[in-house]
Amino acid sequence: MSTVTPEHYVRIKEIVAKQIGVEFAALGDETHLVDELGVDSLKLIDILSAIEMEFTIVIDMEELPEMVNVEAIHRVTARAAGW
């Protein structure tokens, strides 16, 4: 079991920023991806898939509605990875 590190958080934020096409610095940790940035469900699935590939984990699709911002995505990822 690995432990959560600041690098994990930064890497998740990098993945999210790349997937939605915004600059890393412009993406706030609590910015609501759907309400504030107009991210659709297909893009959220792309984010989920990219994170699964990066960390070699499986995230249940039922977690998708919780993945509304970088902080929430990190929580979901940490749970799936056992950090």
Side-chain angles (χ1 to χ4, degrees), residues 9-10 12-14 16-17 20 22-34 36-37 39 47 67-74:
Y9 194 88
V10 169
I12 289 167
K13 189 172 179 178
E14 289 171 344
V16 173
I20 65 173
V22 300
E23 293 293 323
F24 178 87
L27 180 60
D29 295 339
E30 295 181 7
T31 301
H32 197 285
L33 299 177
V34 176
E36 295 178 55
L37 299 177
V39 174
I47 292 168
M67 298 173 67
V68 296
N69 60 34
V70 173
E71 286 186 0
I73 293 169
H74 179 264

